[in-house]
Amino acid sequence: MASNRGSNFLSGQTALRLLFLAFGLVSLVSLQAEAATKKYQFDVQVNNVSRLCHAKPIVTVNGRFPGPTIYAREGDRVIINVSNHAQYNMSIHWHGLKQYANGWADGPAYITQCPIKTGSSYVYDFNVTGQRGTLWWHAHIFWLRATVYGAIVILPQQGTPYPFPKPDSEHVVVLGEWWHADVEAVVKQGNAMGLPPNMSDAHTINGKPGPLFPCSEKHTFAMEVEQGKKYLLRIANAALNDELFFAIAGHNMTVVEIDAVYTKPFTTSAILIAPGQTTNVLVYANSPPGRYFMAVRAFQDVPIPVDNKTATAILEYKNIPTTLLPSLPKLPSPNDTAFALTYNKKLRSLNTRNFPANVPLKVDRNLFFTVGLGKSVCPTCVNGTRLSASLNNVTFVMPQTALLQAHHSNMDGVFTADFPDKPPKAFNYTGAPLTANLFTTHGTRLSKIAFNSTVELVIQDTNLLSVESHPFHLHGYNFFVVGTGVGNFDPAKDPAKYNLVDPPERNTVGVPTGGWSAIRFRADNPGVWFFHCHLELHTGWGLKTAFVVEDGPGKDQAVRPPPKDLPPC
């Protein structure tokens, strides 16, 4: 009897082992099915494209404008081989992807890599970890992102539902711009004269300006819907220099996500979206069947010239004849500051058990950056000066060696880690226009941050020459927008008004005109991470810097070794 009991026990153990082994194999297969490797080939090349009765050669990816959409799932590995066949050097940034300890795949030229030269290739290899939603990619050198851009769609892991009603269909909507002239030539001419370059000739929706412009019958994006169904629009603003209003005639939108972070849903007649930002909205096809314009135009609440013409696309119900003229939505006025401020206040993180808002409550490092627009001496320019920009009175000078390479290899002479935590002199930042010389310096000065420390950064607009709104993007991180206001930031009173419970979490924040925004983040991603205004005009004038986040003590808390095919400087 004892022998039989032992035999039964052993056979039970064997069965248990086999059961665990089978379960492990099933789990491994499941994990492999969920965590796939997605491969893409990007051929950067020049193609002739026609818009608004004008044809011209533009830089494209795979001959497309906008470029291809990247699809992946949370947890996937993404490998993108970029081959440069154009006459310009090239680098591509995967905007909003955190690239943990892997700045080599981040893409900004001379920050994390030297550009890919004509005739060369570079492989961007990264994991999508802890992120899902809509992001986008774009060229990150010169003004080439005028035509080199596209969307990134990160789907949730298999079996993980959206935290909002499941849409019947999804559509990517990328907002951009069109110039009749060669964009690089426009920029060079502006720099040579010391003046802002000419504005764009039209905004676009998925590369098309719509039928309010000439020669646009074929250049109109149309989206067919069915009565009673719901649609998820994944909207990205790829425009170089304009914050944009977007609306759909006869339909409200429910905002459910910003910058690939779920939000508390709210319904609105229009959205505001700054360059670099993304917004996902649900649209219910519950209006009388017909044809309706989707429309976009610039928001600018100071007297600075912008392209204020309205670009359109069409939302059309199934089986409605295309001869029916669409109706236009009522967009906010181009200078509707009240709408902009109210809209941004409605943005809140979802902050649930599955999608928490881990806001840093204790701050290790307080930073205060002032935005300055000014003039510098230029004997060859029209007025003897050219426009420049600065943070804390420092106009950033781009290096000729990639900063991440210099940091990782301990190179001397490429940058200094002495960017000031605050401006050298306090003044009435948003008072009467100030044109006095605040002794702006030029240099490649970076801010060093201890690993895993918590940072609060207040970005303050100033009235040097003029107040203006500024969308600031931080590479390698999301951050929480804990506070924002108009006027001068008051360190004694304003922090008491912070939202530390469910503030919006994003990678690009719109600093309001003549105001400030306070962001918080934990510096847990080692490397060199670019921080800059996402208005290409201001970035080119020097409105940028970078953070050097030191390595952590753990074996996985240091910058990885560079890939073997890293482009040489």
Side-chain angles (χ1 to χ4, degrees), residues 143-190:
W143 280 39
L144 293 176
R145 73 176 177 91
T147 59
V148 180
Y149 62 81
I152 301 173
V153 173
I154 306 170
L155 300 170
Q157 291 179 340
Q158 292 278 12
T160 303
Y162 294 130
F164 49 80
K166 183 181 178 182
D168 295 294
S169 184
E170 301 184 8
H171 296 269
V172 169
V173 177
V174 185
L175 313 177
E177 290 167 287
W178 173 263
W179 275 262
H180 290 325
D182 177 79
V183 180
E184 290 303 308
V186 169
V187 177
K188 287 178 182 176
Q189 181 185 32

Side-chain angles (χ1 to χ4, degrees), residues 49-59 65 142-149 175-190 196-204 207 209 213 237-242 275 305-307 309 534-537:
V49 173
S50 177
R51 295 289 186 273
L52 280 67
C53 315
H54 287 72
K56 69 168 188 175
I58 65 170
V59 183
F65 169 63
F142 311 127
W143 280 39
L144 293 176
R145 73 176 177 91
T147 59
V148 180
Y149 62 81
L175 313 177
E177 290 167 287
W178 173 263
W179 275 262
H180 290 325
D182 177 79
V183 180
E184 290 303 308
V186 169
V187 177
K188 287 178 182 176
Q189 181 185 32
N198 293 339
M199 69 187 77
S200 58
D201 294 288
H203 288 108
T204 58
F213 289 88
N237 184 355
L240 268 68
N241 295 307
D242 293 336
V306 294
D307 173 8
K309 297 180 286 293
H534 220 277
L535 302 179
E536 205 63 38
L537 194 63

Side-chain angles (χ1 to χ4, degrees), residues 312-366:
T312 54
I314 299 175
L315 182 149
E316 53 191 14
Y317 282 70
K318 192 173 182 179
N319 298 325
I320 295 296
T322 57
T323 52
L324 182 68
L325 292 176
S327 54
L328 273 169
K330 186 179 180 182
L331 286 160
S333 299
N335 62 348
D336 195 340
T337 305
F339 179 93
L341 294 173
T342 302
Y343 174 83
N344 282 323
K345 283 182 181 177
K346 293 177 182 177
L347 299 172
R348 293 284 184 270
S349 290
L350 195 57
N351 194 24
T352 60
R353 186 169 61 88
N354 291 333
F355 305 104
N358 297 315
V359 187
L361 301 180
K362 175 181 168 290
V363 175
D364 299 316
R365 182 86 172 272
N366 283 280

Side-chain angles (χ1 to χ4, degrees), residues 377-399:
V377 176
C378 175
T380 61
C381 295
V382 171
N383 299 315
T385 60
R386 67 158 43 101
L387 293 164
S388 62
S390 63
L391 283 171
N392 282 355
N393 298 14
V394 179
T395 297
F396 191 82
V397 176
M398 291 296 286

